[in-house]
C-alpha cells in the first residue's frame, strides 16, 4: 500500500516532518506539516513520497504539545511588587500562559497567583514577575540647568513609583546663589516603578506689590525688598508713584526677582533715588505681596534605578503533559498495483465435472441418499454443495488421485 491521504487535528505544533512507524515499510513515506503561527494548529500536510508498506503505518508529528502550566509555587514572595502577571520565556509556546499575581498592599509581597490560561508549550517554560522591585542607585543631571538657582539646603522629595520604602536623599547648595552642589543618597528605598524627584524648596518670583495702606510723606522712588534677610538670588525691583499729598498711589514691577520662598519676599521700605537711602515717611505704607513658583529655576534631576534582586520574588512552574491538544492522525492507504505480484499457473479449474444426484426425505428435506452418476476428472479437490434449496448440509467424499498423461512428470499447482 501507498500512503495517499493524511488528516489531522490538534494545536501547539511547529512546522516539521511527520514520523511514520510500523507497517513493515519497503520504503518510508515522507510528509511535511505546516502550522498556523497563532496557535500551532495544523494547517496543511504535504505528502512528498507516498512510500511503500506491507500494512498500514501509524504517524505522529515530530513535535508534540506536551506541556501546560498547571501550578505556580512561590519559593520566595519578595517585596516591592505590584499586582500584575508573570512573564514567561522559553518552552517554544504556541500559546503563552497567562498567570495573574496579587500582592499584599503593605509590602508588595506575593499573596496569590491565579492561572487564567495554562498555555501550550513543547517544553517547560520559565517565569518571572513583570514588575521588579527597584531602588535608587543615583540622582544626576540630564540638562545643564540641573542644579537650579536659589534653592536652600534640604531633602529631595520623591513622588510616584508606588513605594514600599521611601528613598531619602539630601542636597547641599552654594550659599552665594543657591545652586545645588552635591546630593547624598541616605536610603535607596524600595519601589515598584521609578519615582520622580525634585528639591523640597521651589524658587518664587514677585507678581504683585499693592499698597493696601498708601501712607504719607513719600516721594516717588523704588521698593526695597528683603535687605535685612539677604536671601534673594535676584532682588525684585518695583517703582513707586505718589500723589500730591505724598501718599503712594501705585507700583510698577520692573523685575520679578528670585527668592527661595514667599516668606522671603518682604518690603522693607521705599528708596529715595535722590539720596540712595530709605525714606522716612510721616505714615508708613503697607503692601500686599503676591508671588508664584518659578519652575525655570528649579533643579532638573533624573533618578537612576536598579533592580533590587534581594527583594525579587522567586517562582517555580509545574508543567504537566497535555494530551488533549495532541494531533490525531488517520492514514488512508490504497492498493499499489505497480508493486503487486503477478502469478500465472499452467492450468486451472476442472477437466471433467462430476455428476451426483441428491435424494431427500419429503418430510423434512434432509438428504437421504447421494447417487454418483459421473465421477469426473479434476486437477485438485473440488468443493461440493447442493445446487438448490436447503442449508447446513455437510457433504464429504473420497478424493481420488489424479495423474498427468502428457509426460508423466509431477505437476506443481499454485493456489
Amino acid at each position: 500500500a501507498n500512503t495517499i491521504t493524511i488528516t489531522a487535528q490538534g494545536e501547539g505544533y511547529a512546522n516539521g516532518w511527520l514520523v511514520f512507524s510500523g507497517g513493515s515499510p519497503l520504503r518510508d513515506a515522507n510528509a511535511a506539516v505546516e502550522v498556523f503561527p497563532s496557535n500551532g494548529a495544523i494547517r496543511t500536510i504535504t505528502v512528498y513520497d507516498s512510500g511503500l508498506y506491507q500494512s498500514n503505518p501509524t504517524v505522529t508529528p515530530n513535535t508534540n504539545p506536551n506541556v501546560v502550566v498547571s501550578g505556580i509555587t512561590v519559593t520566595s514572595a519578595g517585596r516591592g511588587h505590584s499586582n500584575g502577571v508573570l512573564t514567561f520565556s522559553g518552552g517554544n509556546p504556541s500559546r503563552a500562559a497567562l498567570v495573574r499575581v496579587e500582592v499584599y498592599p503593605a509590602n508588595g509581597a506575593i499573596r496569590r497567583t491565579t492561572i487564567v490560561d495554562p498555555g501550550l508549550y513543547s517544553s517547560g517554560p520559565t517565569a518571572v514577575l513583570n514588575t521588579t522591585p527597584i531602588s535608587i542607585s543615583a540622582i544626576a543631571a540630564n540638562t545643564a540647568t540641573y542644579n537650579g538657582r536659589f534653592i536652600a539646603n534640604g531633602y529631595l522629595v520623591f513622588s510616584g513609583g508606588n513605594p514600599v520604602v521611601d528613598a531619602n536623599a539630601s542636597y547641599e547648595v552654594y550659599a552665594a546663589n543657591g545652586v545645588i552642589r552635591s546630593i547624598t543618597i541616605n536610603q535607596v528605598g524600595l519601589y515598584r516603578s521609578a519615582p520622580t524627584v525634585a528639591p523640597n524648596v521651589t524658587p518664587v518670583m514677585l507678581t504683585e506689590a499693592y499698597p493696601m495702606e498708601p501712607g504719607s510723606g513719600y516721594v516717588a522712588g523704588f521698593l526695597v525688598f528683603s535687605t535685612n534677610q539677604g536671601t534673594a538670588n535676584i532682588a525684585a525691583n518695583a517703582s513707586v508713584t505718589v500723589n500730591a499729598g505724598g501718599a503712594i498711589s501705585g507700583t510698577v514691577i520692573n523685575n520679578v526677582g528670585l527668592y527661595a520662598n514667599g516668606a522671603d519676599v518682604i518690603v522693607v521700605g521705599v528708596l529715595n533715588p535722590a539720596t540712595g537711602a530709605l525714606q522716612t515717611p510721616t505714615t508708613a505704607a503697607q503692601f500686599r505681596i503676591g508671588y508664584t513658583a518659578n519652575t525655570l529655576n528649579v533643579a532638573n534631576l533624573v533618578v537612576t534605578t536598579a533592580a533590587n534582586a534581594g527583594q525579587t520574588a522567586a517562582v517555580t512552574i509545574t508543567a504537566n503533559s497535555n494530551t488533549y491538544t495532541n494531533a490525531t492522525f488517520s492514514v488512508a492507504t490504497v492498493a499499489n498495483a505497480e508493486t503487486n505480484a503477478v502469478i500465472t499457473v499452467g492450468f486451472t479449474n476442472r477437466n471433467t465435472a462430476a455428476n451426483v444426484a441428491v435424494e431427500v426425505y419429503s418430510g423434512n428435506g434432509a438428504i437421504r441418499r447421494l447417487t454418483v452418476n459421473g465421477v469426473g476428472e479434476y486437477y485438485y479437490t473440488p468443493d461440493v454443495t447442493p445446487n438448490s434449496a436447503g442449508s447446513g448440509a455437510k457433504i464429504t467424499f473420497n478424493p481420488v488421485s489424479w495423474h498427468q498423461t502428457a509426460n508423466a512428470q509431477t505437476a506443481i499447482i499454485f493456489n
Side-chain angles (χ1 to χ4, degrees):
N2 297 102
T3 300
I4 61 165
T5 304
I6 301 174
T7 60
Q9 59 184 4
E11 63 176 17
Y13 297 92
N15 294 329
W17 301 94
L18 294 180
V19 178
F20 292 87
S21 57
S24 301
L26 302 175
R27 186 180 75 251
D28 284 317
N30 182 287
V33 170
E34 179 188 0
V35 302
F36 290 98
S38 59
N39 61 357
I42 292 177
R43 180 181 183 183
T44 61
I45 300 176
T46 305
V47 179
Y48 292 101
D49 188 337
S50 59
L52 189 61
Y53 292 85
Q54 297 180 51
S55 61
N56 283 1
T58 57
V59 61
T60 56
N62 63 349
T63 53
N64 293 320
N66 55 5
V67 167
V68 294
V69 175
S70 59
I72 302 291
T73 302
V74 179
T75 56
S76 175
R79 295 176 64 203
H81 298 283
S82 60
N83 294 331
V85 297
L86 291 180
T87 299
F88 291 87
S89 59
N92 191 21
S94 60
R95 187 181 73 249
L98 176 61
V99 176
R100 297 199 181 280
V101 176
E102 180 186 350
V103 302
Y104 291 100
N107 60 3
I110 291 179
R111 177 186 182 188
R112 178 169 51 201
T113 59
T114 304
I115 299 175
V116 179
D117 185 343
L120 193 59
Y121 295 83
S122 295
S123 59
T126 57
V128 294
L129 275 175
N130 66 345
T131 53
T132 303
I134 58 176
S135 295
I136 305 301
S137 59
I139 302 172
N142 67 347
T143 74
T145 60
Y146 97 100
N147 354 1
R149 297 179 64 190
F150 210 76
I151 302 171
N153 293 330
Y155 289 90
L156 295 179
V157 177
F158 294 89
S159 57
N162 197 7
V164 174
V165 177
D166 286 307
N168 180 288
S170 57
Y171 63 93
E172 179 186 354
V173 303
Y174 291 100
N177 56 11
V179 172
I180 291 180
R181 177 184 180 186
S182 64
I183 298 174
T184 303
I185 300 176
N186 306 308
Q187 164 61 261
V188 296
L190 187 62
Y191 292 84
R192 299 180 176 99
S193 60
T196 57
V197 62
N200 64 346
V201 175
T202 302
V204 298
M205 59 186 178
L206 181 68
T207 59
E208 180 188 42
Y210 179 77
M212 295 187 298
E213 296 291 339
S216 62
Y218 284 102
V219 297
F222 300 93
L223 291 180
V224 178
F225 294 92
S226 305
T227 53
N228 58 348
Q229 269 75 17
T231 55
N233 181 274
I234 300 175
N237 180 283
S239 303
V240 172
T241 58
V242 299
N243 58 24
I248 295 175
S249 59
T251 61
V252 177
I253 298 175
N254 303 310
N255 192 315
V256 295
L258 187 62
Y259 295 84
N261 54 66
D264 289 340
V265 188
I266 300 171
V267 176
V268 178
V270 180
L271 184 71
N272 187 332
T275 63
L278 289 175
Q279 299 184 38
T280 304
T282 305
T283 304
Q286 295 183 14
F287 295 88
R288 182 179 68 210
I289 304 300
Y291 52 85
T292 187
N294 188 332
T295 56
L296 295 178
N297 290 286
V298 177
N300 189 0
L301 305 176
V302 170
V303 176
T304 302
T305 60
N308 192 323
Q311 305 292 344
T312 300
V315 296
T316 58
I317 299 171
T318 303
N320 286 354
S321 177
N322 186 330
T323 58
Y324 180 75
T325 56
N326 283 350
T328 302
F329 291 86
S330 61
V331 179
T333 59
V334 295
N336 188 328
E338 292 184 0
T339 56
N340 285 347
V342 178
I343 302 173
T344 60
V345 297
F347 46 84
T348 59
N349 299 327
R350 65 193 179 192
N351 186 16
T352 303
N355 183 279
V356 178
V358 178
E359 180 185 349
V360 301
Y361 291 100
S362 59
N364 57 8
I367 294 177
R368 178 184 181 190
R369 181 169 53 197
L370 299 175
T371 302
V372 179
N373 300 316
V375 296
E377 291 185 2
Y378 292 84
Y379 291 110
Y380 48 87
T381 304
D383 295 325
V384 183
T385 58
N387 65 351
S388 60
S391 64
K394 182 178 180 182
I395 302 173
T396 60
F397 56 90
N398 294 323
V400 296
S401 62
W402 58 276
H403 60 276
Q404 182 177 1
T405 58
N407 55 17
Q409 293 182 353
T410 303
I412 300 175
I413 299 177
F414 295 87
N415 188 355

